[in-house]
Amino acid sequence: MAAQSTENIVKEYDASNTSFTYYVIERDADGNATSNKTELNGERVDVVITGTQKVFDGAVGDEDTKAGVIYLNNDNTDYTFTASGLTMAKSDGNNAIEISMDSQDCGEGVVAIYVPSEEYNAITSASDTNLKIMAASTLEVERLGFKYFSIIIGILFVLFITITCVCIKEKSTVDMKTASIGEMFRALVQNDQAMTIVITIVLVNTALYITSNLLIYFFKYDLAGSNWQGNYTLFNTFAGGMQILAMMLLFPLLRKAFTTLKIFYVCVIAEIAGYIVLLTMALSGVTNVFVFFIPGFFIMSGAGILNVVVTVFLANTVDYGEIKNYRRDESVIFSMQTFVVKLASGIAALVASICLTVFNIQESSSTVLDMKALLDKIANSGVLTSIDNSAVVGLRMIMTIGPTIVLVIALLFFKARYILNDEKLQEISMELVMRKSKGEEQ
């Protein structure tokens, strides 16, 4: 799309108009920048940039950098480069570039290329240190893509809502008095089992959300490396997939062998074990993202199954409430699930904010780096901002020990308060049948 745009312009920067500082940095097997870096002859750098005028106008208005900065990297650019006779491309997937200029005509620039060990040794040992980069900005492609994607989503939303409203006709078959707000709250408060489940949902979701809110900082500052964003995305994809698969596949399998109550305990214990393994791995210096899939499996699978289990428990409290309060309050009880999940999200966000403030951890990286910021990043082995080791340890503890404590509280609270086992539910069901029979006779 961008290649066909008539608005694209091409600008070339070389020794005739720009003084470059040129670094080649070695990447490890996981794609993270190592401490091995070499500054090469910047007089032999040639950069050809293709993009709209907006690219060359720079990051105007960006609060994290001064206006006019041109910053190209793997996220916003498609590229190929030839260094010391060795040609590599973004599509290879094993390399990265960063280019920064404080303005399009400032006369200076910083270039960093990140390559695997073999290529690093070949480039740094060659007598020819020429670097040629062909870079095409993809910012305009992303802007147009989001524009048309949003239009499509808007059209589909209106279409499907219209179909829903036209085709679905609900006819009430129950003549029941509508409960007032006060009656709704009394029905919930008087149903001690519903309150038990509501509090349990808040606790188990708070534990999960504390981790999810702090996970990006764990990858950025603890695992670190220039590829931390890719590792974070990969782990999130795995975690989300495990939640879905656990709900669809693992829960039905476990239900064949265990009661719902036992599944609840198994899942909570599995999450706790996952957090302990995660902390152990972090303290032992593990950096391979695939190894973190092990605790991720236990934590996210447990969380996925718990989403199903607590919904089953909520359904059980409806019958219990009818026995106790002489009315069925499905709408009140089930509406609480959405509310308490939002409440847990808010509590977790508060905990995460306190953690970031106490340990002085930045919430986000600058999306645009000027020349000085890029030089600082290169000097710090590809990490944009470093934090104290005490802050790293604190982050680990809050992200692992914190949720573990919350889950232990949830487990003990649930075990002490929840009484609706299979025998009790059978008893309640029989009593409801008897009530209905007596009502029909009367």
Side-chain angles (χ1 to χ4, degrees), residues 359-434:
F359 297 112
N360 194 27
I361 300 174
Q362 295 180 1
E363 292 197 22
S364 62
S365 302
S366 300
T367 56
V368 177
L369 303 183
D370 60 17
M371 292 169 54
K372 181 180 182 304
L374 180 52
L375 287 171
D376 289 343
K377 178 179 179 180
I378 294 170
N380 197 36
S381 299
V383 181
L384 182 61
T385 306
S386 61
I387 58 176
D388 294 337
N389 186 62
S390 60
V392 173
V393 174
L395 176 63
R396 293 171 181 169
M397 295 302 174
I398 298 298
M399 197 182 79
T400 57
I401 300 299
T404 299
I405 294 173
V406 174
L407 286 172
V408 169
I409 294 173
L411 187 66
L412 296 177
F413 175 80
F414 179 85
K415 185 175 178 60
R417 298 292 300 272
Y418 191 72
I419 63 173
L420 300 181
N421 53 32
D422 289 347
E423 292 77 15
K424 184 66 175 179
L425 290 173
Q426 183 66 25
E427 179 184 328
I428 291 174
S429 180
M430 293 178 61
E431 184 173 345
L432 288 176
V433 171
M434 292 176 60

Side-chain angles (χ1 to χ4, degrees), residues 110-342:
V110 177
V111 177
I113 62 171
Y114 301 84
V115 295
S117 298
E118 183 177 348
E119 286 78 2
Y120 173 81
N121 293 329
I123 294 172
T124 55
S125 62
S127 58
D128 175 14
T129 59
N130 288 352
L131 174 65
K132 173 79 172 184
I133 298 178
M134 303 293 293
S137 171
T138 58
L139 291 176
E140 188 68 6
V141 177
E142 293 179 1
R143 185 187 70 81
L144 292 173
F146 278 116
K147 171 185 175 182
Y148 291 118
F149 181 75
S150 299
I151 292 173
I152 292 171
I153 292 298
I155 293 173
L156 290 177
F157 178 84
V158 173
L159 175 63
F160 291 147
I161 288 296
T162 301
I163 293 173
T164 302
C165 294
V166 171
C167 298
I168 297 180
K169 306 292 184 180
E170 181 180 6
K171 295 182 180 180
S172 177
T173 58
V174 179
D175 184 15
M176 185 175 181
K177 178 184 176 182
T178 302
S180 66
I181 299 297
E183 289 173 334
M184 291 171 60
F185 278 100
R186 281 196 297 273
L188 181 63
V189 173
Q190 292 171 358
N191 189 334
D192 58 290
Q193 294 303 288
M195 287 298 296
T196 297
I197 298 303
V198 164
I199 294 173
T200 301
I201 293 174
V202 172
L203 291 172
V204 297
N205 279 283
T206 297
L208 179 64
Y209 294 153
I210 288 174
T211 303
S212 60
N213 285 338
L214 294 176
L215 189 64
I216 188 171
Y217 308 108
F218 173 74
F219 274 89
K220 175 183 176 183
Y221 294 113
D222 201 340
L223 299 188
S226 61
N227 196 39
W228 71 267
Q229 290 172 308
N231 290 337
Y232 170 70
T233 302
L234 180 62
F235 183 86
N236 263 349
T237 302
F238 171 81
M242 285 312 309
Q243 275 193 293
I244 296 172
L245 291 175
M247 289 187 286
M248 296 175 59
L249 301 178
L250 288 182
F251 177 72
L253 291 175
L254 291 174
R255 192 64 184 89
K256 293 179 180 179
F258 304 104
T259 65
T260 309
L261 272 174
K262 288 184 179 179
I263 293 175
F264 174 85
Y265 293 128
V266 168
C267 290
V268 174
I269 293 172
E271 283 197 72
I272 293 173
Y275 281 116
I276 294 174
V277 173
L278 177 61
L279 178 61
T280 302
M281 290 169 55
L283 292 175
S284 61
V286 176
T287 58
N288 191 320
V289 65
F290 294 102
V291 180
F292 282 96
F293 284 3
I294 298 173
F297 169 80
F298 289 105
I299 295 171
M300 304 312 294
S301 295
I305 295 176
L306 284 178
N307 286 333
V308 179
V309 171
V310 295
T311 302
V312 173
F313 289 160
L314 272 179
N316 293 340
T317 65
V318 174
D319 287 345
Y320 176 82
E322 184 177 2
I323 288 291
K324 190 171 183 179
N325 302 324
Y326 289 87
R327 65 173 288 130
R328 293 184 68 84
D329 295 293
E330 293 103 326
S331 59
V332 175
I333 291 175
F334 281 106
S335 66
M336 287 303 297
Q337 185 170 16
T338 302
F339 169 74
V340 296
V341 168
K342 296 296 184 183

